């Protein structure tokens, strides 16, 4: 299985989605449009750089673990195109029953974005399957490695929705949730950086137990945040708002502060599930490494 064709296909699809949206689909929400354009543009130019390096056979000259870098980038590109597809559909396609060049361009961008998402998913799957047959494959090709990419991405989205200091300065418990997001994001990012920076030996040998311990710690921390955030944001006893305020107009496509808090609560639960899966796979991997070490004695 060759990863070249899904990679080329994903690059071309992301390029079309970016170009059509930029030149023929003007929208009124600049922040969401900029996010979608960034997602498609970053995926396109990053994939183009990967292809140029591989075509020129410069992998050995790049000061990174190339196998870890390519699958990590493909996973991030998949998540970026997925989020851009969802945002573009909700903000610029859904609810607009109009005709004309602008609307047609929006639909074309959305379709090509969805296809680019599928193509990047194919690249990740093929790279993962190929890595299972390669003993020299890096940590990012393992399930815990890919899960850490998802964990950092979800945490990044959480930071976007709670960028307003008023969202987390109301109570000490909410500050603890913010600390959970920051600490777990930083540690997971460090694991990814170490893996890409030719330090994967530290992640695939004896310190597997450390990664298992970190995954367990992250699960406990996110479990507390999953419980605390809804209590202090939606329970009236603790100063929260149990119902959607009247100021939040259903006709307005933008999310009001209450809606953003709901999204943060949902994403916190999503990251808790991701860290739980990470912990399970890390423990399994630690047990397998321990058994292999014992059998070699």
């Amino acid at each position: 299985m060759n990863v070249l064709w899904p990679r080329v296909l994903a690059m071309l699809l992301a390029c079309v989605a970016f170009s059509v949206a930029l030149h023929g689909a003007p929208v009124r929400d600049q922040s969401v449009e900029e996010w979608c354009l960034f997602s498609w543009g970053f995926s396109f130019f990053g994939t183009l750089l990967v292809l140029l390096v591989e075509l020129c056979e410069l992998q050995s000259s790049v000061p990174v673990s190339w196998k870890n870098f390519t699958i990590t980038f493909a996973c991030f590109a998949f998540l970026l195109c997925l989020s851009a597809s969802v945002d573009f559909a909700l903000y610029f396609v859904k609810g607009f029953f109009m005709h004309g060049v602008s609307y047609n361009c929006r639909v074309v961008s959305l379709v090509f974005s969805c296809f680019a998402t599928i193509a990047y998913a194919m690249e990740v799957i093929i790279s993962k399957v190929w890595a299972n047959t390669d003993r020299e494959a890096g940590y990012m090709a393992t399930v815990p490695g890919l899960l850490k990419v998802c964990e950092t991405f979800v945490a990044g989205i959480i930071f976007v929705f709670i960028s307003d200091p008023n969202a987390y300065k109301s109570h000490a418990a909410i500050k603890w949730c913010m600390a959970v997001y920051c600490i777990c994001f930083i540690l997971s990012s460090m694991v990814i950086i170490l893996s890409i920076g030719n330090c994967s030996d530290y992640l695939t040998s004896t310190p597997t137990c450390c990664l298992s311990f970190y995954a367990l710690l992250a699960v406990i921390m996110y479990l507390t945040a999953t419980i605390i955030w809804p209590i202090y944001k939606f329970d009236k006893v603790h100063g929260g708002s149990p119902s959607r305020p009247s100021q939040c107009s259903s006709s307005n496509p933008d999310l009001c502060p209450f809606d953003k808090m709901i999204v943060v609560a949902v994403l916190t639960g999503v990251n808790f599930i991701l860290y739980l899966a990470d912990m399970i796979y890390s423990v399994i991997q630690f047990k397998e490494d321990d058994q292999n070490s014992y059998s070699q004695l």
Side-chain angles (χ1 to χ4, degrees):
M1 293 181 293
N2 196 333
V3 76
L4 174 63
W5 296 114
R7 185 174 292 165
V8 173
L9 180 62
M11 180 190 70
L12 295 177
L13 292 170
C15 180
V16 174
F18 173 84
S19 302
V20 173
L22 182 64
H23 296 288
V27 294
R28 61 190 179 93
D29 195 318
Q30 296 297 323
S31 60
V32 179
E33 181 192 25
E34 289 172 358
W35 168 254
C36 295
L37 292 175
F38 166 78
S39 300
W40 296 325
F42 179 82
S43 301
F44 165 71
F45 287 109
T47 307
L48 178 62
L49 178 62
V50 170
L51 289 172
L52 290 176
V53 170
E54 292 190 344
L55 289 175
C56 297
E57 298 183 350
L58 299 176
Q59 298 94 316
S60 59
S61 302
V62 179
V64 297
S65 174
W66 189 249
K67 294 179 181 179
N68 283 321
F69 173 78
T70 53
I71 192 171
T72 301
F73 177 82
C75 191
F76 270 120
F78 161 72
L79 295 171
L80 285 170
C81 289
L82 177 62
S83 65
S85 300
V86 174
D87 289 340
F88 206 78
L90 291 177
Y91 281 85
F92 309 131
V93 176
K94 180 183 177 182
F96 289 89
F97 301 101
M98 60 183 184
H99 301 281
V101 177
S102 176
Y103 183 74
N104 293 337
C105 288
R106 294 184 187 184
V107 174
V108 171
S109 295
L110 176 60
V111 171
F112 276 88
S113 178
C114 292
F115 283 135
T117 303
I118 296 173
Y120 277 116
M122 290 174 57
E123 180 183 349
V124 174
I125 293 172
I126 293 175
S127 301
K128 180 68 176 68
V129 172
W130 173 83
N132 290 336
T133 62
D134 185 6
R135 293 184 177 180
E136 296 182 358
Y139 175 78
M140 295 309 301
T142 63
V143 174
L146 294 175
L147 285 174
K148 283 180 175 58
V149 175
C150 298
E151 293 159 4
T152 55
F153 185 83
V154 172
I157 298 178
I158 291 176
F159 292 144
V160 172
F161 283 105
I162 55 176
S163 56
D164 184 4
N166 294 326
Y168 57 86
K169 285 189 175 181
S170 57
H171 198 279
I174 299 298
K175 293 180 181 179
W176 162 252
C177 294
M178 189 65 181
V180 170
Y181 304 144
C182 293
I183 293 173
C184 294
F185 174 80
I186 292 172
L187 293 178
S188 294
S189 299
M190 288 178 58
V191 173
I192 295 175
I193 293 173
L194 285 174
S195 182
I196 295 177
N198 276 324
C199 300
S200 58
D201 291 341
Y202 295 104
L203 302 174
T204 56
S205 57
T206 53
T208 309
C209 60
C210 298
L211 292 175
S212 301
F213 175 76
Y214 160 61
L216 174 62
L217 180 63
V219 167
I220 297 174
M221 293 175 68
Y222 257 94
L223 177 60
T224 61
T226 304
I227 297 173
I228 291 174
W229 184 271
I231 291 177
Y232 284 89
K233 284 297 181 181
F234 308 123
D235 189 354
K236 198 171 184 179
V237 178
H238 296 87
S241 177
S243 59
R244 197 168 187 259
S246 57
Q247 296 86 346
C248 297
S249 174
S250 58
S251 60
N252 188 357
D254 297 331
L255 294 177
C256 68
F258 181 82
D259 296 333
K260 292 181 180 180
M261 297 305 100
I262 293 179
V263 174
V264 172
V266 173
L267 293 178
T268 302
V270 170
N271 240 4
F272 167 71
I273 295 174
L274 291 175
Y275 276 106
L276 181 62
D278 188 356
M279 181 194 69
I280 294 173
Y281 276 101
S282 297
V283 170
I284 293 174
Q285 185 177 350
F286 170 68
K287 289 183 177 180
E288 290 178 352
D289 293 344
D290 189 51
Q291 290 177 356
N292 292 336
S293 300
Y294 179 78
S295 61
Q296 293 175 0
L297 295 178

